[in-house]
Amino acid sequence: MAIIILNKINRTRQYFLSFLFVCIIGGICFILSDFIGYRVVAFILLVTVSLIAMFFDILPVLFAALLSALIWDFFFIPPRYTFLVGSAEDTLMLLMYFIIAMLNAVLTNKIRRMEKIARQKEEKANTIKLYNVLFNSLSHELKTPIATIIGATDNLLTDSNKISEDNKYKLISEISIASVRLNEQVENLLNMSRLESGYIRPKLDWCDVNELVYSVVNRLENELKKHSLKVEINENLPLFKLDFGLMEQVLHNLIINAVNYTEPGATITISADCIRNLKGHFEVTANEIKSKRDATINTLILKISDNGIGIPEDEIEHVFDKFYRLKNSKTGGTGLGLSIVKGFVEAHNGTIILSNIEGGGILFTIKIPSETSSLNKQKNE
Ligand code: ADP
């Protein structure tokens, strides 16, 4: 981490800092030169150059090596305060110091470059692995509904007269279910690529949470047929500034998961409430609040829970990862749904927490800070 930060320091600064470090260490050695011999100083300066080599580019390090050799020669090797070297032994020492300092710089730099290449290779291998996982699950997820649609339409077209009305209805239902599934996967992919590109900018507008919840629930009427649904929305909920489309997708993914990963007959509960915040609780400047006059920043709390089998505790922290599916998850699904949910909630500056419920099932708690406005006031406007 420290290496990455220091690498970002520009070249001129690196030269300046190398100069500073060598001078400071040289100065300290100079003060202590009565107590330590000039040969010990050579070791201290070598360590300084090695430390600089760990963080900076090759040229500033070579500069530090050269500077430290000159400082050692001028201030420490007898006769002091001249570049002359008194004995043949010291000349040899100075030459060796210079070579070791340079080698140190070059080799450390080489190791760092090799490390960088190894890191890049590892990253590339991980990306390829990720893409393989994606393509394997995607090809299955896309091909299955496409095969269903092709098969059913083929049957309808070729044997139309021989098929009973009952079977025709069954084939058309199959086509409809497969198209919805295909549409969901394509939506997930498009949303994921929007999130990946950092392109998600929520279009905030006044939003009635009742309308939001029921628009998703009504669209999922068929899917919810075998489950019992409880909607508990606080009657006095104000309007929130949200991106209706993104929040619809959040609720859609969570409800469809609750349907898919619980047994028929299970109960799915959706609740919505608002926490009024104390003054100054949110990071909104006084000016911002003033400019929005009547706007108040509160927190929307959305809870989606089911009474299914829950999620193993050790996997909870991973379920929001891209392409992550539980080890014993039933087939179907790409592992993108929850990562999209998290991305969209965070695009609203919100948070989402997942916890297991005692006695079975899971609970998603979404908290989104938002401007609020009373429903009546908006309606009057
Ligand atoms: P997908 O559903 O495509 O596999 P998700 O990201 O939506 O991907 O979900 C990740 C995993 O979390 C799923 O594979 C499933 O095992 C688990 N999961 C999600 N929702 C629930 C739920 N309500 N109950 C139990 N497990 C769930």
Side-chain angles (χ1 to χ4, degrees):
M1 182 70 184
I3 293 180
I4 295 170
I5 293 166
L6 286 165
N7 268 338
K8 283 183 186 158
I9 297 174
N10 71 31
R11 264 290 166 77
T12 328
R13 280 235 174 122
Q14 289 189 20
Y15 278 111
F16 175 70
L17 288 174
S18 306
F19 176 80
L20 204 68
F21 286 145
V22 173
C23 287
I24 289 173
I25 299 297
I28 294 172
C29 290
F30 187 76
I31 296 167
L32 300 175
S33 58
D34 287 343
F35 308 103
I36 51 176
Y38 68 95
R39 287 180 180 150
V40 174
V41 173
F43 282 110
I44 295 174
L45 288 173
L46 263 184
V47 171
T48 311
V49 175
S50 307
L51 287 177
I52 293 173
M54 279 172 65
F55 301 115
F56 292 169
D57 295 340
I58 179 85
L59 288 177
V61 178
L62 288 177
F63 166 73
L66 180 68
L67 179 70
S68 65
L70 292 176
I71 287 179
W72 187 46
D73 182 11
F74 191 79
F75 290 102
F76 298 97
I77 298 178
R80 293 173 82 175
Y81 313 119
T82 148
F83 285 111
L84 290 177
V85 181
S87 67
E89 193 189 347
D90 283 347
T91 313
L92 197 66
M93 283 268 296
L94 180 62
L95 191 71
M96 274 169 30
Y97 176 90
F98 192 68
I99 293 172
I100 292 172
M102 292 291 172
L103 266 181
N104 201 343
V106 173
L107 290 181
T108 315
N109 191 266
K110 205 167 171 184
I111 291 171
R112 276 173 50 201
R113 276 223 312 272
M114 279 160 62
E115 260 177 18
K116 196 173 162 193
I117 292 170
R119 240 194 340 264
Q120 279 169 348
K121 267 192 190 157
E122 198 183 325
E123 272 166 20
K124 210 169 156 190
N126 280 344
T127 315
I128 292 171
K129 207 164 120 197
L130 207 63
Y131 271 98
N132 283 341
V133 174
L134 167 71
F135 282 123
N136 285 344
S137 56
L138 261 191
S139 53
H140 178 261
E141 282 308 297
L142 296 178
K143 271 183 186 165
T144 315
I146 290 173
T148 311
I149 294 169
I150 294 174
T153 42
D154 242 21
N155 274 345
L156 282 171
L157 287 173
T158 47
D159 305 319
S160 176
N161 297 332
K162 293 182 216 155
I163 303 173
S164 68
E165 283 306 308
D166 228 26
N167 283 343
K168 265 186 197 164
Y169 179 77
K170 271 187 196 155
L171 284 172
I172 293 170
S173 312
E174 270 179 28
I175 294 174
S176 161
I177 292 169
S179 318
V180 170
R181 192 163 161 205
L182 197 58
N183 188 43
E184 264 168 20
Q185 299 306 345
V186 174
E187 279 286 323
N188 271 348
L189 272 181
L190 292 177
N191 285 328
M192 200 66 232
S193 67
R194 280 171 74 198
L195 275 171
E196 289 283 280
S197 67
Y199 192 62
I200 299 280
R201 303 259 177 285
K203 290 192 201 87
L204 301 182
D205 205 352
W206 291 116
C207 202
D208 178 354
V209 176
N210 257 292
E211 204 181 315
L212 175 72
V213 171
Y214 281 104
S215 107
V216 181
V217 167
N218 290 341
R219 257 194 295 135
L220 290 174
E221 203 187 323
N222 270 333
E223 287 79 354
L224 283 163
K225 259 183 193 152
K226 292 182 184 150
H227 285 74
S228 112
L229 179 76
K230 270 206 251 166
V231 180
E232 298 163 351
I233 298 176
N234 184 334
E235 280 173 16
N236 303 317
L237 220 52
L239 296 175
F240 290 87
K241 271 221 157 160
L242 304 168
D243 184 316
F244 199 87
L246 296 189
M247 290 309 293
E248 265 187 325
Q249 190 70 54
V250 166
L251 290 179
H252 177 275
N253 286 9
L254 293 177
I255 298 171
I256 207 79
N257 271 353
V259 171
N260 285 338
Y261 298 110
T262 57
E263 297 296 322
T267 305
I268 300 169
T269 310
I270 305 167
S271 75
D273 210 337
C274 172
I275 296 185
R276 313 249 164 211
N277 293 304
L278 297 172
K279 254 190 187 169
H281 184 75
F282 270 96
E283 288 171 14
V284 176
T285 62
N287 277 347
E288 260 180 286
I289 290 187
K290 225 184 261 164
S291 70
K292 285 171 185 161
R293 283 255 175 82
D294 305 320
T296 329
I297 304 286
N298 290 314
T299 305
L300 167 66
I301 310 283
L302 279 171
K303 292 185 179 175
I304 294 93
S305 61
D306 61 55
N307 58 354
I309 51 161
I311 288 182
E313 286 294 329
D314 59 331
E315 289 193 78
I316 283 187
E317 60 174 318
H318 300 296
V319 288
F320 291 106
D321 293 350
K322 231 179 350 177
F323 304 126
Y324 191 86
R325 310 203 67 232
L326 292 194
K327 286 175 197 127
N328 57 356
S329 198
K330 63 175 188 178
T331 51
T334 51
L336 287 177
L338 290 182
S339 56
I340 290 170
V341 166
K342 187 163 189 263
F344 283 5
V345 169
E346 286 176 356
H348 282 85
N349 291 325
T351 55
I352 177 162
I353 297 172
L354 164 60
S355 50
N356 274 315
I357 301 171
E358 249 185 56
I362 55 172
L363 163 70
F364 289 94
T365 309
I366 297 173
K367 293 185 182 176
I368 297 181
S370 160
E371 278 179 51
T372 53
S373 179
S374 91
L375 200 54
N376 294 337
K377 196 169 132 232
Q378 290 291 319
K379 279 182 180 160
N380 291 339
E381 278 174 10

